[in-house]
């Protein structure tokens, strides 16, 4: 990445290497269509999405793009899908030229949104009204 101050997601993607831009655009599209109310910003220097709490991050590296934050709950709930993906720690990696595993990213974002919503107490508040 170029060493200029990145202030928004579009700027982050524009500053990424040519090979990574399609992957980053696809990750952004999948997150935004799966969680359209999520706030989009830059956190820790990378794109960040929040909806009732932390939802997802993505980033570019020398030889791969990453979708951050595969939680322990995801690992229990999405075992089969994650077994077919390149997961290192809590990060899904996509090497140069690999397609974004859209179904998996969507499932993780949905699971995070659901857990965040439940943890925020909104689910219970909505039922009591």
């Amino acid at each position: 990445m170029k060493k200029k101050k990145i202030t928004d997601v579009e700027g982050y993607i524009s500053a990424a290497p040519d090979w990574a831009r399609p992957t980053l655009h696809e990750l952004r599209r999948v997150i935004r269509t799966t969680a359209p109310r999520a706030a989009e910003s830059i956190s820790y220097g990378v794109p960040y999405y929040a909806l009732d709490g932390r939802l997802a991050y993505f980033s570019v590296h020398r030889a791969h793009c990453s979708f951050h934050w595969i939680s322990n709950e995801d690992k229990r709930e999405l075992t089969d899908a994650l077994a077919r993906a390149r997961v290192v720690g809590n990060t899904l990696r996509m090497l140069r030229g690999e397609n974004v595993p859209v179904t998996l990213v969507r499932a993780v974002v949905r699971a995070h949104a659901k857990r965040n919503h439940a943890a925020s107490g909104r689910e219970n508040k909505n039922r009591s009204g």
Side-chain angles (χ1 to χ4, degrees), residues 74-89:
D74 298 328
K75 289 177 181 178
R76 284 191 296 274
E77 295 170 9
L78 303 168
T79 304
D80 293 339
L82 288 168
R84 294 186 298 274
R86 183 175 284 104
V87 177
V88 178

Side-chain angles (χ1 to χ4, degrees), residues 107-129:
V108 170
V109 171
R110 281 187 186 129
H112 289 189
K114 183 179 178 181
R115 284 192 297 269
N116 289 354
H117 186 73
S120 73
R122 291 183 184 189
E123 196 169 276
N124 294 333
K125 290 176 189 175
N126 289 340
R127 289 183 182 172
S128 64

Side-chain angles (χ1 to χ4, degrees), residues 4-84:
K4 69 176 193 170
K5 175 83 169 147
I6 304 294
T7 59
D8 61 16
V9 175
E10 193 56 46
Y12 183 89
I13 294 171
S14 295
D18 291 343
W19 66 264
R21 288 186 199 132
T23 301
L24 300 176
H25 278 296
E26 181 68 355
L27 284 166
R28 183 184 195 194
R29 184 193 68 76
V30 172
I31 294 166
R32 291 178 78 179
T33 59
T34 304
R37 293 184 309 111
E40 179 182 77
S41 64
I42 297 292
S43 179
Y44 297 104
V46 300
Y48 167 66
Y49 296 84
L51 182 62
D52 296 326
R54 181 170 60 167
L55 196 62
Y57 298 83
F58 62 79
S59 61
V60 63
H61 302 274
R62 181 172 292 151
H64 69 278
C65 293
S66 294
F67 172 79
H68 299 279
W69 186 57
I70 307 296
S71 68
N72 290 332
E73 292 92 345
D74 298 328
K75 289 177 181 178
R76 284 191 296 274
E77 295 170 9
L78 303 168
T79 304
D80 293 339
L82 288 168
R84 294 186 298 274

